[in-house]
């Protein structure tokens, strides 16, 4: 199956499950979150609206100009978000939201967020590996590690060596 067919099939499957795809910058509370994140992270996360696709409950909030993004990028992102959709189903909206945002700390030591994102990034890595093998995965290694250790996700797990260990072990197993 070619990638555009795979992408369409994935989106259709999600929509059939009741998942909504919405443009992020058109939703007032997403603009509010964008502003709050800039304040809380002192500017370290200032690309929430433009660069980060976000899943809350059964809604996936897409970045502006989503369809202009490269197909491979859209496909990998959608697979990552599909994991979050699954997590919201598994845990329920409120427990998932509370765990993701607050436990044990909202910033700097967000163990639950780290575990939830780790599961989703593992899907990202599976997709990259399937399409481009080890080189494709190595190419995004630093970027992925930075997502965990920087302000991008509120310094959710600021331990680069631990994150790198998870990354390398997971990729070795692919
Ligand atoms: Zn994620």
């Amino acid at each position: 199956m070619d990638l555009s067919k795979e992408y369409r099939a994935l989106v259709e499957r999600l929509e059939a499950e009741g998942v909504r795809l919405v443009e992020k910058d058109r939703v007032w509370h997403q603009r509010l979150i964008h502003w709050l994140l800039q304040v809380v992270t002192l500017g370290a996360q200032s690309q929430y609206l433009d660069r980060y696709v976000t899943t809350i409950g059964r809604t996936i909030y897409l970045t502006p100009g989503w369809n202009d993004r490269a197909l491979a990028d859209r496909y990998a992102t959608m697979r990552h978000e599909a994991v979050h959709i699954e997590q919201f189903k598994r845990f329920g909206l409120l427990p998932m939201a509370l765990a993701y945002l607050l436990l044990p700390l909202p910033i700097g030591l967000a163990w639950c967020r780290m575990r939830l994102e780790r599961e989703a990034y593992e899907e990202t890595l599976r997709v990259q590996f399937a399409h481009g093998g080890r080189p494709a995965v190595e190419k995004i290694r630093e970027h992925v590690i930075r997502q965990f250790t920087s302000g991008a996700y509120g310094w959710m797990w600021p331990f680069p060596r631990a994150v790198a260990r998870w990354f390398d072990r997971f990729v070795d197993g692919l």
Side-chain angles (χ1 to χ4, degrees):
M1 203 158 41
D2 68 38
L3 191 58
S4 81
K5 274 194 195 145
E6 272 189 67
Y7 175 74
R8 250 178 299 141
L10 175 58
V11 168
E12 277 165 22
R13 173 173 75 73
L14 290 169
E15 284 178 336
E17 288 171 17
V19 172
R20 292 189 319 137
L21 303 178
V22 177
E23 282 211 21
K24 202 179 213 185
D25 61 350
R26 298 197 182 165
V27 183
W28 69 270
H29 55 75
Q30 292 303 301
R31 292 196 298 269
L32 177 67
I33 290 173
H34 176 74
W35 178 81
L36 283 171
L37 280 174
Q38 279 185 292
V39 173
V40 169
T41 66
L42 305 174
Q45 175 49 282
S46 58
Q47 300 178 313
Y48 178 76
L49 275 188
D50 301 321
R51 297 283 297 277
Y52 286 83
V53 172
T54 303
T55 294
I56 303 174
R58 291 207 284 176
T59 305
I60 300 177
Y61 295 93
L62 303 170
T63 47
W66 172 251
N67 286 318
D68 299 333
R69 270 168 81 161
L71 179 61
D73 178 24
R74 273 181 289 149
Y75 179 69
T77 302
M78 205 53 85
R79 286 271 301 264
H80 175 113
E81 299 308 320
V83 172
H84 289 314
I85 291 280
E86 189 51 46
Q87 292 169 338
F88 273 105
K89 267 195 219 158
R90 196 188 312 155
F91 300 115
L93 177 63
L94 200 60
M96 168 79 181
L98 290 176
Y100 189 94
L101 293 173
L102 298 176
L103 299 178
L105 292 175
I107 272 185
L109 210 67
W111 186 86
C112 288
R113 176 154 76 242
M114 177 273 285
R115 291 305 297 256
L116 293 162
E117 283 303 340
R118 219 162 77 167
E119 190 184 5
Y121 273 103
E122 285 175 354
E123 188 74 349
T124 305
L125 297 176
R126 274 187 209 102
V127 175
Q128 297 296 342
F129 191 86
H131 291 284
R134 187 107 197 187
V137 171
E138 290 302 329
K139 215 169 131 190
I140 60 166
R141 185 175 182 275
E142 291 312 310
H143 168 79
V144 170
I145 293 172
R146 227 178 308 123
Q147 300 311 302
F148 287 80
T149 59
S150 74
Y153 287 78
W155 299 274
M156 63 181 154
W157 207 247
F159 309 107
R161 270 186 301 176
V163 179
R165 218 166 26 240
W166 152 73
F167 186 102
D168 295 333
R169 258 187 220 154
F170 181 77
V171 172
D172 283 344
L174 285 172

